[in-house]
Amino acid sequence: MRKLLAVFLIVLWAWTGGAGGVPPQGQDVSSLEENLLEWINKERTERRLPPLKLSPELRTVAIGHSKDMASRGRLTHLSSTGKSYLDRLVDSGLHFIEIGENVATSETYVGEFIHRGFMESPEHRDNILNANFDTVGIGVAYSKEKKYYITQDFFQSQNVLDADEAEAIVQEKIKKIREENALPSLSFPKMANTLARSYALKKATGQPQLNIANFFGETHIHFLITPELDITESVARRIASPVYESGGVGAWFGRLDDYPGGTYIIALFLFPKSPYEGLEEKDSVEIVLEAINAEREETGLVPLKLDTLSSRHASGISRQLRSQDSGSFVLPEQLMNRKVLSYATENLHVWPANLNPAITNPALRRIGIGISFRENKETKKTTFWITLIL
């Protein structure tokens, strides 16, 4: 909800006749409501603003308030129970983005006179000509004091979508941002979308979040709280970065304290491209060798040289471990006196800490390195099975 305009207007014109609480013959309140709607839309179309559509539900809210004012003989935006227009909308179950309300009392049945009174008040005129408003409810009640009580309730309607529909719209907006920046579309794996929807729900309800890195590795997470599924400029700039290749979108809709009319919470995951994309085994071996030698050089040790024959055996062991997802393998006879270390990792620069004593052995001069890897198509994570022969 962007704003709430709550102002008073009293329109008083002389009129005589009529019984208490019952308007004179031929002066049906519903006809007056229809006439006031015609005047509102005439003003809007003359200014090239879209006409307001009449909401039966909002009309019920407006009629209820007019009857409440008439029963008390009091012009006010608060109900007899102290509820505001905002409260009455929420109680009615309606969803909205921006709201405004005009109230008036009149002793005349002439819609044009009542309308002109509204238009002569800047605040009421602003409601009638608000370009954001698209819906109106008009309610008129006649009091025992022989006055008409008029309520004009306005709002910008909220398009309430289910999670699938909202997520599809956001994904389409992301696609457009990428296209405008000459970038390929992001893929949205099902698992990522499922977890993103969970993130949106937990954000709305204040629950602790899962550690997304356990599922996808490096993840950049953004939350959008937006009644109209807008993407902020700062998030759009991140989406337009070429470092991303996939993502996840999850949506939640409901009322929040700051958005009593309802809003969407969008959880957006952005996954950077793997730094190892397109690597062949020999390239991976070079990365691991450089990382190991950097560790040795920090402790003043000479760098290791790559042993081609040992690397060939290490590669076979790594392939066997990958295919079996097992820690068992058959060691070739010529390597029976060598130390063989195997581990799995998603980062070629990282190895288990318990391997450091062997890697930083001052007597070590050569090393065999074999690597096999597999990419999870759902999470886009690459797992490396690495074997070191020392």
Side-chain angles (χ1 to χ4, degrees):
M1 183 184 67
R2 294 175 183 156
K3 62 182 178 180
L4 170 60
L5 294 176
V7 292
F8 293 85
L9 173 67
I10 299 178
V11 185
L12 297 174
W13 274 283
W15 180 81
T16 59
V22 179
Q25 186 176 3
Q27 296 187 4
D28 179 55
V29 293
S30 61
S31 297
L32 180 54
E33 292 167 1
E34 292 172 2
N35 186 240
L36 288 172
L37 176 62
E38 291 172 0
W39 279 105
I40 288 172
N41 283 334
K42 182 176 184 294
E43 296 284 2
R44 292 177 66 89
T45 54
E46 286 176 355
R47 293 163 177 80
R48 298 186 178 182
L49 294 171
L52 299 181
K53 61 180 180 290
L54 181 66
S55 163
E57 295 82 6
L58 192 54
R59 177 174 178 263
T60 298
V61 174
I63 290 174
H65 186 58
S66 289
K67 288 181 177 180
D68 186 55
M69 290 191 294
S71 69
R72 293 181 288 157
R74 183 183 177 191
L75 186 69
T76 175
H77 287 282
L78 295 178
S79 71
S80 54
T81 58
K83 291 191 174 183
S84 67
Y85 172 41
L86 173 61
D87 298 327
R88 299 192 297 274
L89 280 178
V90 173
D91 289 347
S92 71
L94 292 169
H95 293 97
F96 48 87
I97 297 173
E98 181 180 349
I99 67 176
E101 179 174 80
N102 293 342
V103 293
T105 183
S106 173
E107 293 180 354
T108 178
Y109 178 79
V110 181
E112 182 178 2
F113 291 163
I114 297 171
H115 176 72
R116 289 303 165 206
F118 280 132
M119 290 298 291
E120 289 169 5
S121 167
E123 295 90 348
H124 296 76
R125 176 189 175 94
D126 287 347
N127 275 337
I128 290 172
L129 300 180
N130 188 320
N132 293 325
F133 290 155
D134 54 24
T135 304
V136 68
I138 301 174
V140 177
Y142 192 70
S143 73
K144 292 181 179 180
E145 289 75 26
K146 302 176 183 179
K147 292 180 181 179
Y148 292 94
Y149 282 82
I150 302 102
T151 302
Q152 295 178 337
D153 285 339
F154 305 87
F155 69 44
Q156 179 183 358
S157 58
Q158 170 66 268
N159 190 17
V160 181
L161 306 171
D162 64 31
D164 288 335
E165 293 171 321
E167 288 160 7
I169 288 174
V170 174
Q171 288 182 20
E172 189 61 31
K173 290 186 176 185
I174 291 172
K175 179 181 178 182
K176 185 176 180 181
I177 290 171
R178 300 282 293 184
E179 289 176 348
E180 289 172 349
N181 289 272
L183 294 170
S185 297
L186 300 181
S187 63
F188 294 98
K190 183 177 180 180
M191 181 180 178
N193 290 336
T194 299
L195 288 173
R197 186 179 294 185
S198 171
Y199 255 59
L201 171 62
K202 291 178 184 296
K203 176 73 170 177
T205 55
Q207 299 178 56
Q209 301 285 8
L210 298 170
N211 183 357
I212 203 70
N214 292 336
F215 299 91
F216 294 99
E218 182 181 359
T219 306
H220 299 166
I221 302 173
H222 301 276
F223 287 106
L224 298 167
I225 301 179
T226 165
E228 300 179 86
L229 295 174
D230 292 329
I231 296 177
T232 63
E233 290 185 13
S234 60
V235 173
R237 286 195 295 271
R238 297 299 298 270
I239 292 170
S241 171
V243 304
Y244 299 115
E245 64 176 356
S246 60
V249 173
W252 172 91
F253 180 84
R255 301 184 196 271
L256 299 176
D257 289 344
D258 291 339
Y259 297 89
T263 189
Y264 296 94
I265 294 181
I266 303 297
L268 172 61
F269 298 162
L270 294 174
F271 305 123
K273 293 179 181 178
S274 169
Y276 310 121
E277 185 176 356
L279 284 181
E280 296 182 359
E281 182 180 3
K282 64 178 182 179
D283 302 314
S284 304
V285 167
E286 287 296 329
I287 292 173
V288 173
L289 181 61
E290 289 177 7
I292 290 174
N293 282 334
E295 180 74 16
R296 287 176 63 87
E297 289 172 5
E298 283 187 7
T299 56
L301 300 175
V302 297
L304 301 178
K305 292 184 178 180
L306 191 65
D307 185 319
T308 304
L309 180 59
S310 296
S311 294
R312 191 178 304 130
H313 290 303
S315 180
I317 293 171
S318 290
R319 285 196 298 272
Q320 187 176 353
L321 292 175
R322 183 200 65 186
S323 62
Q324 297 177 353
D325 282 336
S326 165
S328 63
F329 52 85
V330 178
L331 191 64
E333 185 176 349
Q334 58 267 46
L335 299 179
M336 294 299 291
N337 295 324
R338 305 282 294 277
K339 182 174 291 188
V340 179
L341 308 173
S342 293
Y343 59 96
T345 182
E346 293 172 7
N347 188 335
L348 293 174
H349 295 83
V350 177
W351 51 83
N354 60 359
L355 301 189
N356 274 338
I359 290 172
T360 57
N361 183 347
L364 194 61
R365 292 291 182 271
R366 301 178 68 84
I367 187 172
I369 303 174
I371 301 178
S372 185
F373 53 88
R374 179 190 300 141
E375 182 187 81
N376 185 315
K377 293 182 179 179
E378 182 68 20
T379 66
K380 299 296 184 180
K381 290 168 63 175
T382 300
T383 300
F384 299 91
W385 285 265
I386 300 177
T387 299
L388 308 179
I389 298 180
L390 310 177

